[in-house]
Amino acid sequence: MQKKRVVSPFFPHTAADIQDMLSFLEINEIDQLFADIPEKIRLKKKMNLPKPHSEAETERHILELLQPNCTAADGPSFLGGGIYQDHIPAVARYLSQRGEFLTSYTPYAPEISQGMLQTLFEYQSLICELTGMDAANSSMYDSGTALGEAARMCARLTKRNLFHVPEAIHPDRMATLKLFAEGASVKIKTIPYSRASGQLDLISLENSLSKDSCGIYIENPNYFGAIESKAPKVGQIAQDQGIPLVVGVDPISLGVLTPPGEYGASIVVGEGQSLGLPMNFGGPSFGIFACRYDRKMIRTMPGRIIGMTKTEKTKKRAFCMTLQTREQHIRREKATSNICTNNALCAVNSAIYLSLLGPQGIKKHAELLMARNQLLAERIGNIAGYIAPVFGKEIPHFRDHVVQLRKNGKKADDLNRHLLKEGIMGGTILTHSFKDLGEAILFSVNNQQSLNDYQRLEEELRRF
Amino acid sequence: MMKMRQANWNEPLISEMSSPGRIGFALEKLSEEEQNALKKTVILVPKELIRNKPPQLPELTELEVVRHYTRLSQMNFGVDCGFYPLGSCTMKYNPRINESIAAMPKLSQIHPEQDPDSVQGTLALMYQLELWLSSICGMAEFTLQPAAGAHGEFTGMMIIRAFHKQNNELQQRTQVIVPDTAHGTNPATAAMCGFEVVVVPSGQDGCLEIEALKEAVSEKTAGLMLTNPNTLGLFEKEICEIANIVHEVGGLLYYDGANLNAILGKVRPGDMGFDVVHVNLHKSFSTPHGGGGPGAGPVGVTKELARFLPIPIIAFDGTKYSLNYNRPHSIGKVRTYFGNFGVLARAYAYIYMLGAEGLTRAAELAVLNANYLKKRISAIKGFSVPFGEMSPHKHEFVASSDALKRSKAISASMVSKYLLENMVHPPTVYFPLIVPEALMIEPTETESKQILDEFAEILSRLSSSDPESLPETLPTGFTTAIDKVDEKEAARRPILSFKMIRDQNQKK
C-alpha cells in the first residue's frame, strides 16, 4: 500500500531520492528492508503517541504544559542544599551552545576535535586550581554518582571495603552511594554529627576505623551548611590510617576556603551546578571528580581524561583523550567504571564560567554568599520561635544554614505551605531525614535574592 | 579538490592569556551591612581553612573569553559541520527548537526540591514522556533518572539483581551473558553490579548462535544483555527463541537501546521478550551529544519488575501529580534528584514534533540510508561487509577494509585518517572485534543521498589511489586544525592539567 510520504525538515529524502535508492537496492519499497523481523513480533498498531506537530505548535504546547510551574522569578526562593540559583553570566550559554561544541560527539578523533579537547583540558585544570588536586576527569553525572565512584575507587586502591561517610549528607547522595557500593561489595559506615555543632563527630569517626577501612568521606561545607572546622584533623586521621580522604566540596566556597588538597585530600568530588548552570530541576548538572597524581591512583580513576601531547610531525601542542585503557571501550569488564557519555558540555559551561569570574570574582561571590547567609540567619534568629542557625552563632557556615522551628508545636511542613501561599519558597525540610533536628528547614542564600525578599520572609515567619 | 578546512588558530591555553587585574564578570559590591556580616562570619573559620592565596584562575575580560572559546569551537567538528557516521551513536541532526524550549524559564529555573504543587508542569512533562517511551518500547513502566545509556544499564542490571535477590537466588545467579559483539559498557556494567561476565560467540551470520547460548545458560545465569539490531546492524531474527532460552533457566533479558533508531514503530523490545530496556535519548531522540554528554538513559521494565524502579515514582491521580516514595522494593536511587530534566524536555519536544508517523519514518529512512551506503561501499575494491552482505541491514553496518590492508597496506586506521583529511568524521573503527579492520557506519536519517554518495566517492578515491602517493602521515593538518596527534606519548607521559605542566617545568 502506498503510504503518504512524511515531509519534515529533518528528512532530506525527496520522492526522486527514494526512487533512486530503491532502484539501486533492487527493491520496491522500504518495508522490504524490515522483512527479516519475524511476523509475530512486528508492531501492527500505531504507537500511542501524538500526531506530528509544527515547531510553533510544539512551543505553544510546552508553554501551556509548564504554565502551572512556579519559578524563583515568581517569588523569593530559599532552596539550596547543593543546587543553587545564582545569576549566570549571559554570555556563558552563547559560547557553550555553539553548534560546533553542542553537536559534536566524544572527541575520539583528536585532529578534528581540538576545540572540545582543549576546552575540557582547561576545565580539568581549573577544577584542579580550585581544589588543590593534580588531575580531574572531564565530569561525572552528578555529586551522588561521583561519590559512588570515589568509594569504589578507594576500595580498588586499598583492596579493602569499609567506606566511612557522614550522616549529614544529602539523602540522595547517600542513597546513590549505597547502590554504587552494593555492586562492589563495599560497606558503608555512617558517622554521626555532633548535635551541638552540626559538624562531624571525630571521636565516632576514629572509633569506627578498622583494618577493613578503605576511605573516609567528608563534606566541607557539610549538608547543613556548616564549615567543618576540623577538616585538617580528618586529613591527619586518614593519613595515619593509610587510607584516602575524599572531600565533597561546594565549588564556589573554594573562592574563600582552603582547597582540600592542602589538608590531606586524595580525592575531591562535588556538585558542579553552581558553576554557571541553570537549576533545571536537578539535571543536567555534573559531578566534579579530581585526585592527586600518582601512577597508581590515576590509573584507577574513573571517567574520561584529556591529556596534553604534541602532534607527530610538526610537534605542535595538541590534546587527546588519554589513559583510555581504564575505560569500558577498551577494558570492558575490567574497566574502572562503565561510564561512557558523561556531562561534558556542562563541564565546558563551567570552564567558561570560571574563566569569566576569575580569582577575584569567585572570591567576591563566595564572600557575598557567606555574608548573606550570616545576615539571613541573624534576621531569622531574631524572630521569636525560630533558632537560626540551629547549631549556634559560633559555628561558621557557607551559604546554607538550618533553621529550627519552636513555635507551639507548629510543623515545618505547615510553615512551608504557609510561605508558598504567600509566594515564597521556603528551604528544604530536614525533619523527615534528620529526626533529631526537630522541626527544621535548610535555608539557603544566592545572589538573586533582594533585601525585600528577606523582609518579606521575616514578615511571613512572624505571621506564621 | 579540497572543499573545506577547519580553522587553525594556534590558540593559547587560557592560563596563558591572563592579565592580572582583568575581570570578565562584574559582581555587586557588598553593602555595609553585608561587609560587617562577612567579618563576623569569617572570623569563626579557623585560619588554616581560609585560603591564603586566590585560586590560579585566568583573569580575562568578557571579550577575551568570547574570542578564546569562539576560536576553539572553530577547531571542533559537530553534526552541524558535516557528516558524522559514528556507528551506534546515532549522530542525527539536533533540532534547535529543542534548545529554545530547554531555555524556557519555567523549564530551567526550577529547583528540584520545590513543593510538587509548584512544579505540576514539570511532573506532567515527565509523566507523559514515561507513557510515550512505554508505548515506543512496549514496556509497562519507566524511570527517567539515569543520566546516560551506561547509567541506564547500571540501573537495569541492579533491578535484575534485586529481582533475583528477592527470589533468594542472587547467591546462585552470578553470571551475565553478553555476545562477543557487545558494546564495552555491557560487560563493564555487569562487572560493576558484581556479576561475572560470560561471553558467547556470534555465529557465521554475525548473530548470536543459539547452540552456543544454550551451552552458556544455566542456573547461574542472572541475565543476558543484548542489543537488537546488534552492533553489526543485523536484526537478531531468533530473538524469540533467545528470550525463551534465557527465561527458561530463570534469567532475565536486558535490552541495550543504543540501536533503537532502527526499529522505531516497526518492532518493540517489549514484544521481543525483553524484561528491562534502556533508551538513549541523545541517540534516537535527537538530544545533542554535547561533546560527550549530557545525555539521558531512561529505563523501562515489565509490570513484574516495576516494584524495583528507583524512587520517587511520578504518580497522577487524575487531577494532580505527586512524587511517590512509598516503594518498599525499590532499588533506591541511581543519582541525586530526578534525572537530566533539561535533556528529557528536549526529547519530549522531539517526540511531540515528529509523532508516531515521524518516528517510524525516521527508522525507515535511517535503514534505507544504511542499506544504500552499504551496497555502494561493498562495490568499492578493498572494502567488504563480511556479515550479512546478502541480508538487509538495519540502521548501521560494519564494513571491513581488510582487503585494502592486504593489497595496499592501508589499515582501517588510515582509512579513518583519510576521511578526516577530507573533512568527514570517521566511523567507529576496530569495533566490533569480530570484524577485521572494522568500520562501523551509521548514517542516520537526517543525511541526504548526496552526502552518502560523496562519502562513497571519498572511499573510492582512497581505494584506487597509489599508496605511495598518500601523505606519509594523515591527517596532514592542511584541512583539520592540526596534523596527526601522538596519542601514545599522551599515555606514556600524562600531562593532565596546568598544575602538572608547572610541576613538569619545575623539574626541568
Side-chain angles (χ1 to χ4, degrees), chain A residues 3 10-13 18 21 24 26 31 33-34 36 38 41 43 46 48 50 52-53 58 61 65-67 69-71 80 83 98-100 102-105 111-116 118-119 121-122 124-125 129-130 134 141-142 145 152 170 172 176 179 182-183 228 254 256-258 279-284 307-314 316-317 320 322 328 332-333 338 341-342 344-345 355-359 361 367 371-372 378 393 425 428, chain B residues 6 8 12-14 16 24-25 27 34 40 44 48-51 55-57 68-69 72-73 75-77 79-80 84 86 94 96 106 108 110-111 113-114 118-119 121-122 135 150-151 161 182 184-185 188-189 191-192 194 237 262 266-267 271 288-293 331 333-338 340-342 348 352-353 355-358 361 364 369 375 394 417 420 445-446 473 475 482-486 490-491 495-499 502:
Chain A
K3 278 194 239 154
F10 313 124
F11 305 148
H13 305 71
I18 294 183
M21 294 167 86
F24 181 71
E26 293 171 35
D31 256 358
L33 299 169
F34 292 89
D36 56 342
I41 54 173
L43 188 61
K46 231 167 121 180
N48 196 5
H53 292 88
T58 302
H61 163 76
L65 188 68
L66 298 174
Q67 194 40 46
N69 276 3
C70 303
T71 70
I83 302 289
R98 286 179 68 89
E100 299 94 328
L102 184 76
T103 68
S104 67
Y105 186 62
E111 295 87 4
I112 213 171
S113 317
Q114 285 301 290
M116 200 66 202
Q118 182 170 335
T119 302
F121 179 85
E122 292 178 353
Q124 288 169 187
S125 299
E129 298 301 337
L130 265 189
D134 302 313
Y141 310 132
D142 71 344
T145 56
R152 295 174 66 108
H170 194 293
D172 282 7
T176 304
L179 202 63
E182 198 184 311
E228 290 284 358
L254 296 172
V256 165
L257 298 180
T258 297
M279 297 190 289
N280 277 322
F281 198 55
M308 194 171 97
T309 179
K310 291 192 161 60
T311 54
E312 278 185 11
K313 278 197 97 172
T314 57
K316 265 197 210 153
R317 179 164 66 200
C320 65
T322 193
Q328 47 78 29
R332 300 172 72 86
E333 64 267 17
N338 72 348
T341 291
N342 53 17
L345 201 66
S355 302
L356 288 165
L357 247 66
E367 286 176 342
R372 288 196 173 183
E378 277 174 11
K393 296 183 168 55
M425 289 199 253
T428 302
Chain B
Q6 269 189 330
N8 177 1
L13 288 174
I14 200 162
E16 293 166 342
F25 183 63
L27 287 144
E34 284 165 344
K40 261 192 245 176
L44 300 171
E48 51 182 351
L49 281 179
I50 295 286
R51 236 190 148 107
Q56 282 190 55
L57 301 178
H68 180 67
Y69 290 103
L72 284 177
S73 76
M75 296 192 285
N76 212 56
F77 189 90
V79 174
D80 277 8
Y84 217 122
L86 270 182
N94 313 124
R96 275 326 186 279
K106 278 192 188 260
S108 59
I110 308 281
H111 191 285
E113 284 164 349
Q114 285 181 216
S118 71
V119 297
T122 298
S135 179
H151 201 200
R161 198 185 141 103
T185 50
T189 301
M192 255 181 108
K237 298 190 282 284
K266 299 300 194 186
V267 64
D271 299 329
H289 280 84
I331 58 172
K333 289 191 76 68
V334 300
R335 57 157 304 145
T336 55
Y337 313 119
F338 311 102
N340 280 352
F341 182 71
Y348 180 97
Y352 191 80
M353 262 200 310
E357 286 104 284
R361 194 59 175 165
E364 288 170 357
N369 271 2
K375 191 170 177 186
K394 294 289 161 285
K417 299 295 188 190
L420 275 180
E445 73 281 5
T446 55
T473 46
I482 55 170
D483 54 298
K484 186 167 185 225
V485 173
D486 190 348
I495 300 173
L496 310 175
S497 64
F498 300 155
K499 178 159 190 295
R502 290 196 299 269

Side-chain angles (χ1 to χ4, degrees), chain A residues 82-95:
Chain A
I83 302 289
Y84 301 101
Q85 181 157 347
D86 296 313
H87 176 82
I88 297 169
V91 75
R93 171 155 68 98
Y94 291 101
L95 292 174

Side-chain angles (χ1 to χ4, degrees), chain B residues 380-437:
Chain B
I380 301 173
K381 195 156 181 235
F383 292 89
S384 67
V385 178
F387 292 100
E389 188 159 9
M390 289 304 143
S391 49
H393 271 72
K394 294 289 161 285
H395 66 318
E396 69 186 1
F397 62 96
V398 181
S400 170
S401 60
D402 196 43
L404 199 61
K405 187 172 177 206
R406 290 173 206 276
S407 62
K408 294 190 175 181
I410 295 174
S411 65
S413 177
M414 286 177 67
V415 173
S416 88
K417 299 295 188 190
Y418 185 83
L419 285 166
L420 275 180
E421 187 76 6
N422 282 272
M423 297 303 295
V424 170
H425 196 284
T428 313
V429 287
Y430 297 110
F431 179 80
L433 304 161
I434 64 171
V435 176
E437 306 301 307

Side-chain angles (χ1 to χ4, degrees), chain A residues 202 218 220 228-236 245 247 263, chain B residues 49:
Chain A
L202 290 200
I218 63 166
N220 195 12
E228 290 284 358
S229 310
K230 302 219 180 63
K233 180 80 171 74
V234 183
Q236 192 58 54
L245 171 63
V247 180
Y263 56 79
Chain B
L49 281 179

Side-chain angles (χ1 to χ4, degrees), chain B residues 409-481:
Chain B
I410 295 174
S411 65
S413 177
M414 286 177 67
V415 173
S416 88
K417 299 295 188 190
Y418 185 83
L419 285 166
L420 275 180
E421 187 76 6
N422 282 272
M423 297 303 295
V424 170
H425 196 284
T428 313
V429 287
Y430 297 110
F431 179 80
L433 304 161
I434 64 171
V435 176
E437 306 301 307
L439 299 155
M440 187 199 268
I441 297 167
E442 180 184 354
T444 83
E445 73 281 5
T446 55
E447 302 294 343
S448 69
K449 178 177 174 295
Q450 288 73 35
I451 291 285
L452 305 184
D453 288 337
E454 275 171 28
F455 182 76
E457 254 126 67
I458 295 171
L459 292 181
S460 197
R461 273 206 304 276
L462 177 62
S463 162
S464 55
S465 65
D466 172 9
E468 302 292 303
S469 72
L470 293 172
E472 201 189 308
T473 46
L474 281 170
T476 58
F478 187 71
T479 48
T480 55

Side-chain angles (χ1 to χ4, degrees), chain B residues 235-301:
Chain B
F235 192 82
E236 295 274 0
K237 298 190 282 284
E238 316 264 24
I239 185 62
C240 297
E241 230 220 298
I242 291 170
N244 281 339
I245 292 168
V246 175
H247 286 145
E248 255 161 43
V249 297
L252 294 179
L253 233 69
Y254 181 90
Y255 182 78
D256 179 334
N259 294 329
L260 195 67
N261 204 46
I263 55 170
L264 294 167
K266 299 300 194 186
V267 64
R268 308 184 305 177
D271 299 329
M272 292 185 218
F274 286 94
D275 302 292
V276 186
V277 167
H278 91 257
V279 171
N280 303 67
L281 297 188
H282 45 294
K283 294 185 181 183
S284 316
F285 296 94
S286 89
T287 75
H289 280 84
V299 168
V301 295

